[in-house]
Amino acid sequence: MWKYVKRYLPYAVLAAAFMVGEVLMDLLQPELMSRIVDDGVLGVHTGGVGDMSLIWALGLKMICLVLFGGLCGSLNNAFVHMTGQNVGNDIRKDAFRRLMTFSFS
């Protein structure tokens, strides 16, 4: 199996890297949301006074992170499918080539 996978290993590594990027973006969202609620809306650290500029800044940051996470997810899917299709194609070609060496009887 390794002989099939090693040819497309760069695609598999890129897919894994983009998956890590997507997961990291998903893990950052709750922390930013809690800062929006705690500091921006409730004003926990500012004596009960909300901060609308903080809400806007963190909201825009969250939107950018979501877009980057979506891009990473899309690229992950593209590289995973390229790897899977190419490995499957190579296996089918080798299986067919082997079958063609058999005698008809």
Side-chain angles (χ1 to χ4, degrees):
M1 190 65 166
W2 177 248
K3 81 175 193 173
Y4 299 111
V5 174
K6 73 178 178 181
R7 187 169 166 201
Y8 304 104
L9 192 60
Y11 295 137
V13 169
L14 282 173
F18 285 122
M19 174 58 74
V20 168
E22 180 186 11
V23 169
L24 286 177
M25 295 307 108
D26 290 342
L27 291 175
L28 288 174
Q29 294 294 325
E31 191 271 330
L32 292 173
M33 191 65 206
S34 71
R35 283 188 54 203
I36 287 176
V37 172
D38 291 345
D39 297 334
V41 177
L42 299 177
V44 172
H45 297 102
T46 58
V49 178
D51 186 4
M52 192 60 149
S53 63
L54 179 73
I55 293 172
W56 278 104
L58 290 177
L60 290 174
K61 187 175 182 178
M62 287 177 70
I63 290 171
C64 291
L65 291 176
V66 165
L67 292 174
F68 182 71
L71 177 67
C72 285
S74 296
L75 290 172
N76 168 46
N77 286 335
F79 284 115
V80 163
H81 286 92
M82 285 171 54
T83 303
Q85 286 178 351
N86 287 325
V87 168
N89 187 36
D90 289 350
I91 290 172
R92 280 190 300 277
K93 284 179 181 177
D94 282 351
F96 185 74
R97 197 173 296 120
R98 174 81 174 127
L99 284 172
M100 295 312 290
T101 64
F102 294 156
S103 66
F104 185 72
S105 58

